Amino acid sequence: MHPSSDQYQHMSDQDLLQRYKADGNTEWIGVLFDRYAILLLGLCMKYLKNEEDARDSVQQIFLKVLSEIHKHDVIYFKAWIYQVAKNHCLMQLRHKKDVELKEELVPGVAEQEDVRHVAHVQKDLMLDNMERALGELNKEQAVTVRLFYLEKKSYQEISDITGFNAGQVKSYIQNGKRNLKILLEKYSKNMR
């Protein structure tokens, strides 16, 4: 016996589900699904904003319902299928976003070479700017900043090397760092 939508319109969702569970005939689910296909298509359109994607999703949701329904004790089919559809759409959107992110993060080989080259040029430029900016600092700031940041010396070691007291070392480093930042910002503005 093959159910058809028209013939079983009078049956409740619950009756159709019980018949499916009794005889395993997927056409009972088909009748149920037909009842909500337009609702699902509308829901998928709302989330996915693309008719073709929405139609594909409705098909995928139907297959998911067929494979999942026996695992659940579904009381309100409409609410359950709505939730299944909503979750499906959200997963589609998340997957699409992940793919877009990966495509942005994993460019083609030629593009990777370009990215590496640009990064290398930028690094060289930044180092040149740093060297130039250090050259513009006063002597005390330049010496203490080099020793502290580039040679990783402590305040005490810098004091021993330069003869500056600890307060002077701290002051020269702080002022040197601030002045470096100002100079580097000025250089980067001039580059644009």
Side-chain angles (χ1 to χ4, degrees), residues 82-131:
Y82 186 89
Q83 194 58 51
V84 168
K86 183 176 167 188
N87 289 343
H88 176 85
C89 290
L90 292 174
M91 288 303 290
Q92 292 294 105
L93 291 172
R94 188 175 300 146
H95 177 71
K96 191 174 182 181
K97 197 190 233 174
D98 287 347
V99 167
E100 285 170 5
L101 277 175
K102 282 184 183 129
E103 284 172 357
E104 285 174 26
L105 293 174
V106 187
V109 174
E111 290 169 1
Q112 283 179 353
E113 290 302 318
D114 290 347
V115 167
R116 273 195 217 104
H117 178 71
V118 168
H120 193 71
V121 168
Q122 285 175 332
K123 190 174 179 183
D124 283 350
L125 187 64
M126 192 178 76
L127 289 171
D128 289 347
N129 284 344
M130 180 69 79
E131 200 57 48

Short mmCIF file of all heavy atoms in Angstrom, two decimals, residues 82-131:
data_model
loop_
_atom_site.label_atom_id
_atom_site.label_comp_id
_atom_site.label_asym_id
_atom_site.label_seq_id
_atom_site.Cartn_x
_atom_site.Cartn_y
_atom_site.Cartn_z
N TYR A 82 11.42 21.85 11.97
CA TYR A 82 11.81 23.26 11.90
C TYR A 82 13.20 23.43 12.54
O TYR A 82 14.08 24.09 11.98
CB TYR A 82 10.77 24.13 12.61
CG TYR A 82 11.00 25.62 12.47
CD1 TYR A 82 10.46 26.32 11.39
CD2 TYR A 82 11.75 26.32 13.40
CE1 TYR A 82 10.67 27.69 11.25
CE2 TYR A 82 11.97 27.68 13.27
CZ TYR A 82 11.42 28.36 12.19
OH TYR A 82 11.64 29.71 12.06
N GLN A 83 13.39 22.79 13.70
CA GLN A 83 14.68 22.88 14.40
C GLN A 83 15.79 22.20 13.59
O GLN A 83 16.90 22.71 13.49
CB GLN A 83 14.56 22.26 15.79
CG GLN A 83 15.72 22.61 16.71
CD GLN A 83 15.88 24.11 16.92
OE1 GLN A 83 14.94 24.82 17.25
NE2 GLN A 83 17.08 24.60 16.71
N VAL A 84 15.47 21.05 13.01
CA VAL A 84 16.46 20.34 12.17
C VAL A 84 16.88 21.25 11.00
O VAL A 84 18.07 21.38 10.69
CB VAL A 84 15.88 19.00 11.64
CG1 VAL A 84 16.75 18.40 10.56
CG2 VAL A 84 15.70 18.00 12.79
N ALA A 85 15.89 21.88 10.37
CA ALA A 85 16.16 22.75 9.22
C ALA A 85 16.98 23.97 9.64
O ALA A 85 17.95 24.34 8.97
CB ALA A 85 14.85 23.19 8.58
N LYS A 86 16.61 24.57 10.76
CA LYS A 86 17.34 25.75 11.24
C LYS A 86 18.80 25.38 11.53
O LYS A 86 19.72 26.09 11.12
CB LYS A 86 16.65 26.28 12.51
CG LYS A 86 17.25 27.53 13.06
CD LYS A 86 16.45 28.03 14.25
CE LYS A 86 17.20 29.09 15.00
NZ LYS A 86 16.54 29.45 16.24
N ASN A 87 19.01 24.26 12.23
CA ASN A 87 20.38 23.82 12.53
C ASN A 87 21.16 23.54 11.24
O ASN A 87 22.34 23.88 11.14
CB ASN A 87 20.36 22.55 13.40
CG ASN A 87 19.89 22.85 14.81
OD1 ASN A 87 19.86 23.99 15.25
ND2 ASN A 87 19.49 21.82 15.52
N HIS A 88 20.49 22.93 10.27
CA HIS A 88 21.14 22.65 8.99
C HIS A 88 21.61 23.96 8.33
O HIS A 88 22.75 24.06 7.87
CB HIS A 88 20.18 21.91 8.06
CG HIS A 88 20.74 21.69 6.69
ND1 HIS A 88 21.55 20.62 6.38
CD2 HIS A 88 20.65 22.43 5.54
CE1 HIS A 88 21.91 20.71 5.11
NE2 HIS A 88 21.38 21.79 4.58
N CYS A 89 20.72 24.95 8.30
CA CYS A 89 21.07 26.24 7.68
C CYS A 89 22.22 26.92 8.41
O CYS A 89 23.13 27.46 7.78
CB CYS A 89 19.85 27.16 7.65
SG CYS A 89 18.58 26.61 6.50
N LEU A 90 22.18 26.88 9.73
CA LEU A 90 23.25 27.51 10.51
C LEU A 90 24.59 26.81 10.25
O LEU A 90 25.62 27.47 10.13
CB LEU A 90 22.91 27.50 12.00
CG LEU A 90 21.73 28.41 12.39
CD1 LEU A 90 21.37 28.21 13.85
CD2 LEU A 90 22.04 29.88 12.11
N MET A 91 24.55 25.49 10.12
CA MET A 91 25.78 24.75 9.81
C MET A 91 26.29 25.11 8.41
O MET A 91 27.49 25.25 8.20
CB MET A 91 25.55 23.23 9.90
CG MET A 91 25.38 22.72 11.32
SD MET A 91 26.76 23.11 12.40
CE MET A 91 28.01 22.05 11.73
N GLN A 92 25.36 25.26 7.46
CA GLN A 92 25.74 25.66 6.10
C GLN A 92 26.44 27.02 6.12
O GLN A 92 27.47 27.20 5.48
CB GLN A 92 24.51 25.76 5.19
CG GLN A 92 23.84 24.45 4.88
CD GLN A 92 24.73 23.55 4.06
OE1 GLN A 92 25.29 22.60 4.57
NE2 GLN A 92 24.88 23.86 2.79
N LEU A 93 25.86 27.95 6.87
CA LEU A 93 26.44 29.29 6.96
C LEU A 93 27.81 29.24 7.62
O LEU A 93 28.75 29.90 7.17
CB LEU A 93 25.51 30.24 7.72
CG LEU A 93 24.20 30.59 6.99
CD1 LEU A 93 23.27 31.35 7.92
CD2 LEU A 93 24.48 31.39 5.73
N ARG A 94 27.93 28.46 8.68
CA ARG A 94 29.21 28.36 9.38
C ARG A 94 30.25 27.74 8.45
O ARG A 94 31.38 28.20 8.38
CB ARG A 94 29.04 27.51 10.64
CG ARG A 94 30.28 27.51 11.53
CD ARG A 94 30.06 26.79 12.83
NE ARG A 94 28.99 27.41 13.59
CZ ARG A 94 28.14 26.75 14.36
NH1 ARG A 94 28.20 25.44 14.46
NH2 ARG A 94 27.22 27.38 15.04
N HIS A 95 29.85 26.69 7.73
CA HIS A 95 30.76 26.02 6.81
C HIS A 95 31.21 26.98 5.70
O HIS A 95 32.39 27.06 5.37
CB HIS A 95 30.09 24.79 6.20
CG HIS A 95 30.93 24.09 5.18
ND1 HIS A 95 32.05 23.38 5.53
CD2 HIS A 95 30.82 24.00 3.83
CE1 HIS A 95 32.60 22.89 4.42
NE2 HIS A 95 31.87 23.25 3.39
N LYS A 96 30.25 27.74 5.18
CA LYS A 96 30.55 28.71 4.11
C LYS A 96 31.54 29.76 4.62
O LYS A 96 32.50 30.11 3.93
CB LYS A 96 29.24 29.37 3.66
CG LYS A 96 29.36 30.20 2.42
CD LYS A 96 27.99 30.68 1.99
CE LYS A 96 28.06 31.47 0.71
NZ LYS A 96 26.76 31.95 0.30
N LYS A 97 31.32 30.24 5.85
CA LYS A 97 32.21 31.24 6.45
C LYS A 97 33.61 30.64 6.64
O LYS A 97 34.61 31.28 6.34
CB LYS A 97 31.63 31.67 7.79
CG LYS A 97 32.20 32.95 8.33
CD LYS A 97 31.73 33.12 9.75
CE LYS A 97 31.08 34.40 10.07
NZ LYS A 97 30.53 34.45 11.40
N ASP A 98 33.68 29.38 7.14
CA ASP A 98 34.97 28.72 7.34
C ASP A 98 35.71 28.57 6.02
O ASP A 98 36.91 28.81 5.95
CB ASP A 98 34.78 27.33 7.97
CG ASP A 98 34.39 27.40 9.44
OD1 ASP A 98 34.49 28.49 10.02
OD2 ASP A 98 33.97 26.36 9.99
N VAL A 99 34.99 28.18 4.96
CA VAL A 99 35.61 28.00 3.64
C VAL A 99 36.14 29.34 3.15
O VAL A 99 37.27 29.43 2.67
CB VAL A 99 34.61 27.38 2.63
CG1 VAL A 99 35.12 27.50 1.21
CG2 VAL A 99 34.35 25.93 3.00
N GLU A 100 35.34 30.41 3.31
CA GLU A 100 35.79 31.74 2.87
C GLU A 100 37.03 32.17 3.64
O GLU A 100 37.97 32.71 3.08
CB GLU A 100 34.67 32.77 3.05
CG GLU A 100 33.58 32.63 1.99
CD GLU A 100 32.35 33.49 2.28
OE1 GLU A 100 32.36 34.26 3.25
OE2 GLU A 100 31.36 33.35 1.54
N LEU A 101 37.02 31.91 4.96
CA LEU A 101 38.18 32.27 5.78
C LEU A 101 39.40 31.48 5.33
O LEU A 101 40.48 32.04 5.19
CB LEU A 101 37.90 31.98 7.26
CG LEU A 101 37.14 33.04 8.02
CD1 LEU A 101 36.83 32.56 9.42
CD2 LEU A 101 37.93 34.34 8.07
N LYS A 102 39.22 30.17 5.10
CA LYS A 102 40.35 29.34 4.68
C LYS A 102 40.87 29.80 3.33
O LYS A 102 42.08 29.83 3.12
CB LYS A 102 39.94 27.87 4.62
CG LYS A 102 39.90 27.23 5.98
CD LYS A 102 39.58 25.75 5.89
CE LYS A 102 39.46 25.17 7.29
NZ LYS A 102 38.25 24.43 7.50
N GLU A 103 39.97 30.18 2.42
CA GLU A 103 40.41 30.66 1.11
C GLU A 103 41.21 31.94 1.25
O GLU A 103 42.17 32.17 0.53
CB GLU A 103 39.21 30.87 0.18
CG GLU A 103 38.65 29.55 -0.34
CD GLU A 103 37.35 29.72 -1.10
OE1 GLU A 103 36.84 30.85 -1.19
OE2 GLU A 103 36.85 28.70 -1.60
N GLU A 104 40.80 32.78 2.22
CA GLU A 104 41.56 34.01 2.44
C GLU A 104 42.91 33.70 3.09
O GLU A 104 43.91 34.32 2.78
CB GLU A 104 40.78 34.95 3.36
CG GLU A 104 39.63 35.64 2.67
CD GLU A 104 38.78 36.47 3.64
OE1 GLU A 104 39.31 36.91 4.67
OE2 GLU A 104 37.60 36.66 3.35
N LEU A 105 42.91 32.73 4.02
CA LEU A 105 44.14 32.42 4.76
C LEU A 105 45.08 31.51 3.99
O LEU A 105 46.26 31.48 4.25
CB LEU A 105 43.78 31.74 6.10
CG LEU A 105 43.06 32.63 7.11
CD1 LEU A 105 42.64 31.82 8.31
CD2 LEU A 105 43.94 33.79 7.54
N VAL A 106 44.55 30.72 3.05
CA VAL A 106 45.37 29.77 2.31
C VAL A 106 45.30 30.11 0.83
O VAL A 106 44.63 29.45 0.06
CB VAL A 106 44.89 28.32 2.55
CG1 VAL A 106 45.85 27.34 1.91
CG2 VAL A 106 44.73 28.03 4.02
N PRO A 107 45.98 31.17 0.43
CA PRO A 107 45.95 31.53 -0.98
C PRO A 107 46.72 30.50 -1.81
O PRO A 107 47.40 29.64 -1.26
CB PRO A 107 46.64 32.89 -1.01
CG PRO A 107 47.41 32.99 0.25
CD PRO A 107 46.79 32.06 1.24
N GLY A 108 46.62 30.62 -3.13
CA GLY A 108 47.35 29.72 -4.03
C GLY A 108 48.85 29.88 -3.85
O GLY A 108 49.33 30.82 -3.24
N VAL A 109 49.61 28.96 -4.42
CA VAL A 109 51.06 28.95 -4.26
C VAL A 109 51.68 30.27 -4.74
O VAL A 109 52.49 30.86 -4.04
CB VAL A 109 51.68 27.75 -5.02
CG1 VAL A 109 53.19 27.80 -4.98
CG2 VAL A 109 51.17 26.45 -4.43
N ALA A 110 51.26 30.74 -5.90
CA ALA A 110 51.81 32.00 -6.43
C ALA A 110 51.50 33.14 -5.46
O ALA A 110 52.35 33.97 -5.18
CB ALA A 110 51.25 32.29 -7.81
N GLU A 111 50.27 33.15 -4.97
CA GLU A 111 49.88 34.21 -4.04
C GLU A 111 50.67 34.09 -2.74
O GLU A 111 51.04 35.09 -2.15
CB GLU A 111 48.38 34.13 -3.75
CG GLU A 111 47.53 34.52 -4.94
CD GLU A 111 46.05 34.19 -4.74
OE1 GLU A 111 45.69 33.67 -3.68
OE2 GLU A 111 45.29 34.45 -5.68
N GLN A 112 50.95 32.85 -2.29
CA GLN A 112 51.74 32.67 -1.07
C GLN A 112 53.13 33.26 -1.26
O GLN A 112 53.66 33.90 -0.35
CB GLN A 112 51.84 31.18 -0.72
CG GLN A 112 50.58 30.63 -0.09
CD GLN A 112 50.70 29.16 0.24
OE1 GLN A 112 51.66 28.50 -0.12
NE2 GLN A 112 49.69 28.64 0.91
N GLU A 113 53.70 33.04 -2.44
CA GLU A 113 55.02 33.60 -2.73
C GLU A 113 54.95 35.13 -2.67
O GLU A 113 55.82 35.78 -2.11
CB GLU A 113 55.53 33.14 -4.10
CG GLU A 113 55.90 31.68 -4.16
CD GLU A 113 56.98 31.29 -3.15
OE1 GLU A 113 57.95 32.04 -2.97
OE2 GLU A 113 56.84 30.22 -2.53
N ASP A 114 53.89 35.69 -3.27
CA ASP A 114 53.71 37.14 -3.24
C ASP A 114 53.59 37.64 -1.81
O ASP A 114 54.20 38.64 -1.43
CB ASP A 114 52.44 37.56 -4.01
CG ASP A 114 52.59 37.37 -5.51
OD1 ASP A 114 53.74 37.16 -5.97
OD2 ASP A 114 51.57 37.44 -6.21
N VAL A 115 52.78 36.92 -1.01
CA VAL A 115 52.57 37.32 0.39
C VAL A 115 53.90 37.28 1.14
O VAL A 115 54.23 38.21 1.87
CB VAL A 115 51.52 36.40 1.07
CG1 VAL A 115 51.51 36.58 2.56
CG2 VAL A 115 50.14 36.66 0.48
N ARG A 116 54.68 36.20 0.92
CA ARG A 116 55.99 36.10 1.59
C ARG A 116 56.91 37.23 1.16
O ARG A 116 57.61 37.82 1.98
CB ARG A 116 56.64 34.74 1.28
CG ARG A 116 56.21 33.66 2.23
CD ARG A 116 57.13 32.45 2.13
NE ARG A 116 56.31 31.27 2.29
CZ ARG A 116 55.95 30.47 1.31
NH1 ARG A 116 56.36 30.68 0.08
NH2 ARG A 116 55.18 29.42 1.53
N HIS A 117 56.91 37.52 -0.13
CA HIS A 117 57.77 38.59 -0.65
C HIS A 117 57.38 39.94 -0.04
O HIS A 117 58.24 40.69 0.41
CB HIS A 117 57.68 38.63 -2.18
CG HIS A 117 58.50 39.72 -2.79
ND1 HIS A 117 59.88 39.68 -2.81
CD2 HIS A 117 58.14 40.90 -3.36
CE1 HIS A 117 60.33 40.79 -3.38
NE2 HIS A 117 59.31 41.55 -3.73
N VAL A 118 56.08 40.22 -0.04
CA VAL A 118 55.59 41.48 0.54
C VAL A 118 55.97 41.57 2.01
O VAL A 118 56.46 42.59 2.48
CB VAL A 118 54.06 41.63 0.33
CG1 VAL A 118 53.50 42.76 1.17
CG2 VAL A 118 53.75 41.84 -1.14
N ALA A 119 55.77 40.45 2.75
CA ALA A 119 56.10 40.43 4.18
C ALA A 119 57.59 40.68 4.38
O ALA A 119 57.99 41.42 5.28
CB ALA A 119 55.69 39.10 4.80
N HIS A 120 58.42 40.08 3.51
CA HIS A 120 59.87 40.24 3.60
C HIS A 120 60.26 41.70 3.35
O HIS A 120 61.06 42.28 4.08
CB HIS A 120 60.55 39.31 2.59
CG HIS A 120 62.00 39.15 2.80
ND1 HIS A 120 62.53 38.45 3.85
CD2 HIS A 120 63.06 39.62 2.08
CE1 HIS A 120 63.85 38.50 3.79
NE2 HIS A 120 64.20 39.20 2.72
N VAL A 121 59.67 42.29 2.32
CA VAL A 121 59.95 43.70 1.98
C VAL A 121 59.52 44.61 3.13
O VAL A 121 60.24 45.52 3.53
CB VAL A 121 59.24 44.10 0.66
CG1 VAL A 121 59.26 45.60 0.45
CG2 VAL A 121 59.88 43.37 -0.52
N GLN A 122 58.31 44.30 3.69
CA GLN A 122 57.82 45.11 4.81
C GLN A 122 58.75 45.02 6.02
O GLN A 122 59.03 46.00 6.69
CB GLN A 122 56.40 44.69 5.22
CG GLN A 122 55.35 45.16 4.24
CD GLN A 122 53.97 44.65 4.58
OE1 GLN A 122 53.81 43.59 5.18
NE2 GLN A 122 52.96 45.39 4.17
N LYS A 123 59.23 43.80 6.29
CA LYS A 123 60.13 43.60 7.43
C LYS A 123 61.43 44.39 7.20
O LYS A 123 61.92 45.06 8.11
CB LYS A 123 60.41 42.12 7.60
CG LYS A 123 61.13 41.78 8.88
CD LYS A 123 61.24 40.28 9.04
CE LYS A 123 61.99 39.93 10.30
NZ LYS A 123 62.19 38.50 10.47
N ASP A 124 61.97 44.30 5.98
CA ASP A 124 63.20 45.04 5.66
C ASP A 124 62.99 46.54 5.84
O ASP A 124 63.83 47.24 6.42
CB ASP A 124 63.64 44.78 4.21
CG ASP A 124 64.31 43.42 4.05
OD1 ASP A 124 64.59 42.76 5.07
OD2 ASP A 124 64.54 43.02 2.89
N LEU A 125 61.83 47.01 5.35
CA LEU A 125 61.51 48.43 5.46
C LEU A 125 61.39 48.84 6.92
O LEU A 125 61.91 49.89 7.33
CB LEU A 125 60.19 48.70 4.72
CG LEU A 125 59.78 50.16 4.58
CD1 LEU A 125 60.81 50.92 3.74
CD2 LEU A 125 58.41 50.25 3.95
N MET A 126 60.73 47.98 7.72
CA MET A 126 60.56 48.28 9.13
C MET A 126 61.92 48.34 9.83
O MET A 126 62.18 49.24 10.63
CB MET A 126 59.68 47.19 9.79
CG MET A 126 59.20 47.55 11.18
SD MET A 126 58.13 46.28 11.86
CE MET A 126 59.34 45.05 12.30
N LEU A 127 62.81 47.39 9.50
CA LEU A 127 64.16 47.40 10.10
C LEU A 127 64.95 48.64 9.67
O LEU A 127 65.64 49.26 10.50
CB LEU A 127 64.92 46.12 9.74
CG LEU A 127 64.41 44.84 10.41
CD1 LEU A 127 65.08 43.61 9.80
CD2 LEU A 127 64.63 44.89 11.91
N ASP A 128 64.83 49.02 8.39
CA ASP A 128 65.49 50.24 7.92
C ASP A 128 64.97 51.46 8.68
O ASP A 128 65.74 52.33 9.10
CB ASP A 128 65.25 50.45 6.41
CG ASP A 128 66.01 49.45 5.55
OD1 ASP A 128 66.91 48.75 6.09
OD2 ASP A 128 65.70 49.35 4.35
N ASN A 129 63.63 51.50 8.83
CA ASN A 129 63.02 52.63 9.56
C ASN A 129 63.48 52.65 11.01
O ASN A 129 63.73 53.71 11.58
CB ASN A 129 61.49 52.55 9.50
CG ASN A 129 60.94 52.99 8.16
OD1 ASN A 129 61.64 53.61 7.36
ND2 ASN A 129 59.70 52.65 7.88
N MET A 130 63.58 51.46 11.60
CA MET A 130 64.02 51.36 12.99
C MET A 130 65.45 51.90 13.12
O MET A 130 65.75 52.68 14.02
CB MET A 130 63.94 49.90 13.45
CG MET A 130 64.37 49.68 14.89
SD MET A 130 63.23 50.38 16.09
CE MET A 130 61.98 49.13 16.09
N GLU A 131 66.31 51.46 12.21
CA GLU A 131 67.71 51.91 12.23
C GLU A 131 67.79 53.43 12.05
O GLU A 131 68.53 54.12 12.75
CB GLU A 131 68.48 51.18 11.12
CG GLU A 131 69.98 51.15 11.30
CD GLU A 131 70.43 50.53 12.61
OE1 GLU A 131 69.95 49.45 12.97
OE2 GLU A 131 71.28 51.16 13.28
#
